[in-house]
Amino acid sequence: MTRTVMCRKFKEELEGLDKPPYPGPKGQEIYDTISKKAWQAWIEHQTLIINEKHMSLMDPNTRKVLAEEMEKFMDGEDYIKAEGYVPPPKA
């Protein structure tokens, strides 16, 4: 049976993650409040901004910025966008 959560990004009941994406309380919070759909959207957006801004995940400041941006993204607040990105045309 599929587990559902009230997704904090999309404000509707959606399929939940299979397991917490991080250890500890933060991972549990994401598991309890973020849908698979929202998490996938975040992963795609995060990849874009890492590449666009030439961020290094080895830098603790980058990880801090990404954590803050994830919160904004999930809450529908103003978050960093990949400037000038044009998605490829759908075939």
Side-chain angles (χ1 to χ4, degrees):
M1 186 168 160
T2 302
R3 186 181 77 84
T4 62
V5 296
M6 177 51 124
C7 180
R8 97 183 209 219
K9 171 136 183 89
F10 295 113
K11 310 287 190 255
E12 61 181 296
E13 196 79 17
L14 294 168
E15 183 179 354
L17 295 168
D18 295 328
K19 61 183 182 176
Y22 304 128
K26 188 61 182 173
Q28 189 63 44
E29 177 190 336
I30 292 168
Y31 180 75
D32 292 340
T33 63
I34 303 298
S35 67
K36 275 187 180 181
K37 178 181 172 182
W39 188 250
Q40 184 60 40
W42 166 247
I43 295 301
E44 291 170 9
H45 180 72
Q46 175 181 249
T47 301
L48 287 175
I49 60 177
I50 288 169
N51 290 336
E52 172 81 18
K53 306 290 185 187
H54 305 286
M55 296 174 146
S56 168
L57 294 176
M58 297 298 291
D59 180 357
N61 189 51
T62 293
R63 292 192 303 271
K64 181 180 180 224
V65 167
L66 290 173
E68 291 168 357
E69 292 304 310
M70 182 197 65
E71 294 296 325
K72 293 176 189 176
F73 181 85
M74 293 303 176
D75 290 334
E77 297 174 8
D78 190 28
Y79 54 89
I80 294 175
K81 311 273 190 313
E83 298 155 20
Y85 173 74
V86 177
K90 293 185 179 186

